[in-house]
Amino acid sequence: MKTINEIKEIIKVNILIERLELEDIEADEIEDDEPLFGEGLGLDSVEALDVVSGVEAEFGVKVQGLEEEDIRKNFYSVATLSAFVEVKLKESK
């Protein structure tokens, strides 16, 4: 089982930087509580789909079927996304 810090690192490096090709930013520059969309990292709706795909691919976590409000809440920041992944991984055990 991955720790919350390992999950955060995978999200920052494998999903946000590599998958979205955010080459002008380092993982340690992404604040855990910084919004991923809008004012924060400024990701758009196409990149949101890539984040969802990345989470599903990296962690085997299914996002389909979540209400839009739950997606907004859980995909708000690296911290909220990591907590969501951690819960889903525990549920799948």
Side-chain angles (χ1 to χ4, degrees):
M1 175 82 181
K2 296 186 183 338
T3 67
I4 192 80
N5 287 331
E6 289 171 329
I7 293 169
K8 286 178 185 177
E9 191 67 16
I10 291 168
I11 290 170
K12 288 178 182 181
V13 175
N14 297 8
I15 298 174
L16 297 178
I17 294 175
E18 291 178 6
R19 190 178 190 95
L20 299 182
E21 299 178 358
L22 302 179
E23 296 163 354
D24 57 340
I25 191 168
E26 298 291 324
D28 60 356
E29 294 176 299
I30 302 172
E31 297 292 328
D32 290 350
D33 295 319
E34 177 180 17
L36 297 176
F37 306 96
E39 300 281 323
L41 281 181
L43 302 183
D44 62 25
S45 58
V46 172
E47 290 166 321
L49 295 174
D50 267 347
V51 172
V52 168
S53 304
V55 167
E56 291 181 340
E58 290 288 336
F59 301 105
V61 168
K62 292 293 176 211
V63 179
Q64 285 181 327
L66 279 180
E67 296 290 328
E68 184 177 338
E69 183 180 322
D70 290 332
I71 292 172
R72 288 183 192 275
K73 181 179 76 174
N74 291 310
F75 282 68
Y76 177 76
S77 67
V78 170
T80 59
L81 184 52
S82 300
F84 169 77
V85 168
E86 184 180 44
V87 167
K88 290 296 184 184
L89 291 175
K90 285 180 182 174
E91 287 176 357
S92 69
K93 279 185 128 182

